[in-house]
Amino acid sequence: MNTKQLPRQLQSVQVMVRFGFRLAIMIGFAVFAGTGFGRGLVTLLWMSAVICALAGLFKREMPFAANLNHWDEMTAYVALCALGTGLVQHI
């Protein structure tokens, strides 16, 4: 198999599984955060959003592609970060 025949993009299911694993790892780290679970999780979500944006830039992925990619993952992290920020400030 030539390298030209290998798929350049991940399937959307693979991206969703990657997102789930990363989210589970972040929740695990946030449990042991010294600032509390909520603030720790919001911080980790924010950092993950930045890392996904950088990965999308470096890999030159298109933001509105047909398959899910780092940009879609970044959007999900930003949405969860905003939700978490609202919950942490309200409680």
Side-chain angles (χ1 to χ4, degrees):
M1 180 183 268
N2 288 336
T3 57
K4 292 182 180 182
Q5 294 175 344
L6 293 174
R8 292 191 52 132
Q9 296 179 348
L10 292 176
Q11 298 293 326
S12 294
V13 174
Q14 292 172 322
V15 175
M16 291 187 331
V17 168
R18 178 180 69 195
F19 176 77
F21 279 132
R22 287 181 180 176
L23 192 60
I25 290 169
M26 282 188 280
I27 289 171
F29 277 116
V31 167
F32 299 108
T35 61
F37 176 75
R39 288 185 178 180
L41 184 60
V42 166
T43 303
L44 290 170
L45 287 169
W46 180 81
M47 289 189 319
S48 295
V50 171
I51 290 171
C52 283
L54 291 174
L57 282 173
F58 290 142
K59 291 187 174 190
R60 297 181 185 199
E61 295 176 337
M62 297 301 295
F64 299 109
N67 291 335
L68 294 176
N69 56 27
H70 282 97
W71 294 109
D72 301 306
E73 196 173 354
M74 179 207 66
T75 305
Y77 286 135
V78 169
L80 287 174
C81 184
L83 177 67
T85 301
L87 289 174
V88 168
Q89 289 180 351
H90 187 281
I91 295 177

